Amino acid sequence: MEDKIFKADAKQIVDMAFNNKIFKDEVTRDDMNAFEDLITFLLQSRYESYLRVQALMSRISKPVEQ
C-alpha cells in the first residue's frame, strides 16, 4: 500500500477535527502538520504490523516438510 493513502487518511482525520473546532482557537491548521504526520505513522505502522503477523501466521500454519 502506498504512503499516499495513509497521508490522505491522516489529512482527512485532522481536517475533520480542525473543522469541528476540536482544537483551541489559537491552533492553526498549519500547526497540526506534526499531528498529521503522527497519525500517518500510526496508520502505516499498524498496517505493516498486520502484514508481518499475517506472513508469520501463514508460515506457522504450513506443514513442515521432512
Side-chain angles (χ1 to χ4, degrees):
M1 189 174 275
E2 291 187 36
D3 291 346
K4 290 186 275 184
I5 294 169
F6 299 113
K7 258 185 143 8
D9 286 349
K11 181 180 182 336
Q12 186 177 18
I13 291 167
V14 172
D15 284 347
M16 180 211 52
F18 190 76
N19 291 337
N20 287 303
K21 304 197 184 299
I22 291 176
F23 306 112
K24 292 182 179 182
D25 289 338
E26 55 270 5
V27 176
T28 66
R29 179 60 184 87
D30 286 340
D31 294 334
M32 298 310 299
N33 287 336
F35 187 55
E36 188 175 313
D37 291 342
L38 172 64
I39 294 170
T40 301
F41 170 76
L42 293 173
L43 291 171
Q44 188 170 11
S45 62
R46 179 168 291 200
Y47 179 73
E48 289 170 357
S49 294
Y50 166 78
L51 292 178
R52 286 193 300 270
V53 167
Q54 193 175 37
L56 177 63
M57 294 304 291
S58 176
R59 285 189 304 228
I60 290 172
S61 64
K62 286 184 181 176
V64 178
E65 293 180 20
Q66 295 180 353

